[in-house]
Every structure is written in C-alpha cells, then in structure tokens.
Amino acid sequence: MRSAPKPHFFSKLRANTPEVVIDGSPPHFYRRNVTFKSETSTVPSIVLNDGNVIPQLGFGVFQVPAEDVVSAVTTALQVGYRSIDTAAIYGNEEGTGRAIRESGLPRDEIYVTTKLWNSDQGYDSTLRAFDASMQRLGLDYLDLYLIHWPVAAAERFVDTFRAFQALKSQGRVRSIGVSNFTVAHIQRLIGETGEIPVVNQIELHPRLAQRELREFHTANAIATEAWSPLGQGTLLDESAVTTVAAEVGRTPAQVIIRWHLQLGNVVIPKSVTPARIAENFDVFGFELSPEQMDAINALDTGSRLGGDPDTFTLGLID
C-alpha cells in the first residue's frame, strides 16, 4: 500500500480551503460564526469547507427509542434547535423524519444529518442504504451524510465515500463527511478520493478532548463535531465542572456545552426530557473565562467511553 500524503498536501486539493487555527479566531471564512438561514432561531453556525453551513448546536437522537423520538425532536424544534442528528443504526429515522415534516418549519431551516451503518459500506450497497434512509426519513434531500465508522479492516470506506460523492453530485446530499475517523483514515480517504470531508464526528468531551485530532481537522478545514459531548453524564459531578457552574450560575451540562462551543466544536447533546432539552439549548447568554476553560481542559485523560476507531467492527459483514 502506498504511503499517504502528508497533511499539508490536503489544503491544496481545494481552492476554497483556507488556513485556520485551533482554539482561536480563524483568519478566513472557514468556521466563522454566522446565523443559520433559519428565521426562527439564532443558533450560531459554522461555514463548512464546501461553503454550506451547519448550526454549531444540534440535537442528537442516539439511544432515543423510536416511540419517544417524535416527541423529543418536536420539543427540540420548538425550543429552537435547527439541526437534528440521527443514524440508520439508531432505528429512529422514521420518527425523526415525521417530527421534521410535521413541525411546520420550512425544510431549508432544518439541518438533517444521518449516517451509513458499517454493514452497508461499499459503493452499490451505500447507494441502496441511502435510498432506504431517505425513505424512512421521508425527505427529498439530506444536508449531511456521514460514514458512521471507518471499519478499516473491511477496506470499503474509500468506495463508500465515492458513492457519497456521487450522491452529492446528484444533489441528493448537500455535504458529505465521516464519523470516528482517525488522522490515518482521513489521510487515506483524501489521498484516494481527492475530496476533504466537511465534518468528522467523534467522541469528544472534557475527558477525551482529542486535541491532536482537532488540530489536524483545523489544518485541513474539517469541522469537528462532538458526540457524547457530556461524557454520558459522567462529568456532571466533576468538581472542576461544578465549581465553574457555580461561578457562572449555570448547570454543569450547560458549562460543558459552552466549553465545546468556545473550542469551536459542533455539539449535539441529546435528551428526552423537555426541561433538559431546553436547558441544553440555553447556552448563548454567558461565556467561560480562559481560566475556566483551562480548568475544564485539565480533565483530559484520553479516556474513551465508546469504541476505538482502529478496532471497532460492529456490524461488519465479511
């Protein structure tokens, strides 16, 4: 196997891919905060490397039961969320789509993401799986399609991304990206397809801050999106977090979400409790000081709660 090109090569693949810096103000349009096109919500958004924008705060439906997802997504949209993140493996695309369609909001005001499951990787199977997801969602187009895991042992994620490129060229998907990819996976993907994914959605929370991967993303104009942003609730009682929460008069969950936003991450907390859905959205009326950010940064131990992207093969079919 030929060696992957060095990271600096990637920024030359697209003329519209500017240089950026992590944890600071970007010098160009990439990741500049803008207002999403919604007229009913003012969540700040991030400009992706293809020129599309994604709301920086979204609503995730991982582990939300199918019988609860319509109510949860409806509540989220009523609160003001305009980005909904689901996946084929979650088993709730149908209810997610129903809530979106019945919300009364224009389709172009709601940013919808779903993900291709591991067993569907491969060019033709990806196209079939996309059709199935869209049928369940009941939507005409998708804002963002992600490869859920690299499952590199299957040697299919490159062909899968080529199918994503075809879907984008047909106008059925606005933006294409990946999830749980490492630097090596992304290097190979870009080197063999010539396209930079707009997003890498990864496990990211104060105990797994993923600084090196975020730096790579920023150097190559890839937005970082955090799943499990609250560490599955394990961080809410951390003294560093509760101390900051007391200082700013906010809840621990709000403090951690604010930490993500100030790092420049796209973040997708999830809940089925209406009060908590609203609480997680109310994070734009305060800021954390550099000292408070540092206190939370110090919690990083590199500890994962989910699978290791290098070895995760759930759903893989030989």
Side-chain angles (χ1 to χ4, degrees):
M1 182 183 297
R2 65 184 178 87
S3 60
K6 294 181 179 180
H8 71 268
F9 164 80
F10 303 146
S11 61
K12 301 177 183 178
L13 290 174
R14 284 190 175 185
N16 67 341
T17 301
E19 296 178 358
V20 289
V21 295
I22 196 162
D23 295 349
S25 299
H28 301 290
F29 80 87
Y30 172 67
R31 289 181 63 174
R32 177 185 299 164
N33 282 349
V34 298
T35 301
F36 190 53
K37 49 195 166 185
S38 171
E39 297 180 356
T40 57
S41 180
T42 56
V43 174
S45 297
I46 286 175
V47 182
L48 301 173
N49 65 35
D50 61 3
N52 293 318
V53 297
I54 183 173
Q56 196 178 2
L57 176 63
F59 184 72
V61 296
F62 173 59
Q63 292 184 332
V64 177
E67 61 270 22
D68 296 331
V69 74
V70 174
S71 176
V73 173
T74 297
T75 298
L77 293 172
Q78 290 172 344
V79 165
Y81 293 88
R82 292 294 178 267
S83 176
I84 308 296
D85 179 278
T86 185
I89 194 62
Y90 297 171
N92 55 24
E93 286 177 314
E94 185 174 354
T96 297
R98 176 185 163 190
I100 291 167
R101 296 193 311 272
E102 296 179 356
S103 68
L105 293 166
R107 171 65 184 89
D108 65 359
E109 291 196 5
I110 306 175
Y111 193 97
V112 183
T113 301
T114 195
K115 309 176 198 71
L116 178 90
W117 184 234
N118 301 342
S119 57
D120 291 318
Q121 283 202 26
Y123 192 93
D124 292 334
S125 53
T126 291
L127 299 179
R128 291 191 296 269
F130 176 80
D131 286 341
S133 280
M134 295 306 288
Q135 183 174 4
R136 290 189 292 267
L137 287 165
L139 302 176
D140 294 330
Y141 69 91
L142 189 66
D143 295 281
L144 178 62
Y145 202 24
L146 303 179
I147 302 176
H148 207 149
W149 289 86
V151 285
E155 289 287 338
R156 294 174 189 161
F157 70 74
V158 172
D159 282 343
T160 297
F161 199 69
R162 290 190 175 116
F164 277 30
Q165 290 175 304
L167 291 168
K168 189 176 76 166
S169 70
Q170 295 165 10
R172 304 185 70 194
V173 179
R174 298 279 175 87
S175 298
I176 55 177
V178 297
S179 180
N180 299 300
F181 273 49
T182 66
V183 169
H185 298 141
I186 297 173
Q187 286 177 335
R188 180 180 173 191
L189 188 74
I190 300 174
E192 296 193 27
T193 69
E195 182 159 1
I196 304 171
V198 299
V199 164
N200 188 14
Q201 186 183 116
I202 56 175
E203 180 183 349
L204 201 164
H205 44 76
R207 286 206 189 101
L208 185 67
Q210 302 257 35
R211 183 175 179 89
E212 289 185 4
L213 185 52
R214 288 190 293 119
E215 289 175 340
F216 175 83
H217 290 167
T218 302
N220 293 283
I222 300 168
T224 299
E225 186 170 23
W227 64 260
S228 195
L230 304 178
Q232 299 178 9
T234 61
L235 287 153
L236 300 182
D237 294 326
E238 275 283 353
S239 61
V241 175
T242 58
T243 297
V244 172
E247 290 171 350
V248 298
R250 296 286 180 151
T251 67
Q254 288 173 321
V255 165
I256 295 174
I257 293 170
R258 186 69 209 179
W259 173 81
H260 281 283
L261 296 175
Q262 289 183 215
L263 287 181
N265 301 334
V266 178
V267 58
I268 47 171
K270 63 104 174 175
S271 179
V272 296
T273 307
R276 190 155 297 166
I277 292 172
E279 173 190 302
N280 290 344
F281 186 79
D282 184 19
V283 290
F284 300 107
F286 72 103
E287 291 187 1
L288 303 181
S289 69
E291 294 76 19
Q292 290 167 335
M293 290 291 291
D294 287 343
I296 298 173
N297 290 337
L299 295 173
D300 186 15
T301 59
S303 302
R304 290 188 181 276
L305 296 169
D308 183 336
D310 284 321
T311 59
F312 189 86
T313 58
L314 185 65
L316 183 62
I317 294 178
D318 295 331

